[in-house]
Amino acid sequence: METQTYHTLGLTKIQRTRIFPGKGDILVKVGQKLDALDAVAKYVPEEKFQIINLKRELGFQNAEDARRSIDVKVGDQLKKGDLIAKSSGFFPKSILAMSDSEVLNIIGSQVILKIIQPTKPILAGFNSVVTEILPFHGVVMETNGALIQGVWGNQKAANGPLIIKMNDLHEEITVDKIDVTYRGSILMGGYCKQKEVIQAAEELNLKGLILSSMSASLITLAKNCKIPILLIEGFGTIPMNERAFELIKSNEGNIASINSIYDSK
């Protein structure tokens, strides 16, 4: 998640729309109360296809021999690892399905596969109430509360009690400031330069990290982390702005929602 502008509001109506691309199903109804991790919809990702040229892949001299090697037919449902075709001889070579797929067509010595993809959920991202259903499109959710928007996140969401582990705007969060008593909480710290901070937060099952900033060298680690990470200011050793710091600090102990999903609206 990256944004060029952000808001810091002490009390406001927070309204967000969750839209799904392509085909999908809405899983909620108007008036339903939602947790940050509740799925409001599920959708099928954009269709993907694979074309396998068996003449080239198996080293046949002509298309007829390649076609005779095919071990599937149109309409077959394949699991990853299923045999598609196999050459003969002393050193036979096999072509296996790289993923779950359907045989869409066979043209000459080419097999065309449609990749079967699991549905993906769209999360609410914050504690809220469904106020509108957009048929075959998405949902609108609302709540009232304090709102602080950051500039980067790792596409995760959660909620939990808020704990503050910084005393001034220029403070660095280090691994010694994280312990098992913070399990299940959202922790706010300063700027982060140590990979051990992210690793400890994940291992101790924190619900999330709110950081003023973070070293750019930790981006890959943060993206792969299982808990949400939100940067208020960006990358580097940037101190947190005073307004955001004071607003978060004033809500210590309250239940907060952290939403670092990049496609949120």
Side-chain angles (χ1 to χ4, degrees), residues 89-226:
F90 291 108
F91 302 103
K93 184 178 179 181
S94 298
I95 301 296
L96 306 179
M98 299 295 292
S99 58
D100 293 352
S101 51
E102 177 186 353
V103 181
L104 201 61
N105 206 349
I106 298 175
I107 304 174
S109 62
Q110 294 187 116
V111 176
I112 303 173
L113 302 177
K114 176 183 177 181
I115 308 302
I116 297 174
Q117 302 181 81
T119 58
K120 291 188 175 182
I122 295 180
L123 304 181
F126 66 110
N127 292 2
S128 53
V129 176
V130 179
T131 57
E132 185 180 355
I133 298 295
L134 307 175
F136 311 106
H137 195 49
V139 303
V140 180
M141 306 164 301
E142 290 184 3
T143 193
N144 293 313
L147 173 64
I148 299 173
Q149 286 184 278
V151 299
W152 186 90
N154 66 341
Q155 302 188 43
K156 309 290 191 308
N159 63 288
L162 189 59
I163 293 179
I164 314 300
K165 284 304 293 182
M166 58 186 297
N167 297 311
D168 65 72
L169 306 180
H170 299 270
E171 191 171 337
E172 177 185 0
I173 184 170
T174 52
V175 70
D176 58 284
K177 296 178 181 178
I178 302 176
D179 63 55
V180 70
T181 61
Y182 302 146
R183 185 188 304 273
S185 300
I186 296 173
L187 181 65
M188 183 185 82
Y191 65 86
C192 178
K193 297 194 299 183
Q194 300 179 351
K195 66 179 181 180
E196 290 81 8
V197 169
I198 296 175
Q199 292 168 338
E202 184 175 25
E203 291 171 2
L204 294 175
N205 292 319
L206 270 64
K207 284 297 184 75
L209 279 177
I210 300 173
L211 305 172
S212 60
S213 54
M214 180 184 76
S215 170
S217 64
L218 302 178
I219 291 177
T220 299
L221 179 65
K223 283 183 175 180
N224 293 327
C225 184
K226 295 179 181 178

Side-chain angles (χ1 to χ4, degrees), residues 4-35:
Q4 299 300 314
T5 60
Y6 58 88
H7 303 286
T8 302
L9 303 170
L11 180 62
T12 187
K13 176 183 284 187
I14 303 169
Q15 184 184 82
R16 293 292 182 267
T17 302
R18 299 289 184 257
I19 301 297
F20 55 82
K23 299 177 181 178
D25 295 304
I26 294 171
L27 305 177
V28 295
K29 58 185 179 181
V30 172
Q32 183 172 336
K33 294 182 178 181
L34 301 172
D35 183 86

Side-chain angles (χ1 to χ4, degrees), residues 67-103:
R67 188 175 178 87
R68 282 193 288 269
S69 73
I70 297 175
D71 197 52
V72 295
K73 61 182 184 297
V74 173
D76 281 357
Q77 301 291 315
L78 305 179
K79 295 291 186 182
K80 181 180 179 179
D82 283 353
L83 179 67
I84 295 174
K86 183 178 180 179
S87 64
S88 56
F90 291 108
F91 302 103
K93 184 178 179 181
S94 298
I95 301 296
L96 306 179
M98 299 295 292
S99 58
D100 293 352
S101 51
E102 177 186 353
V103 181

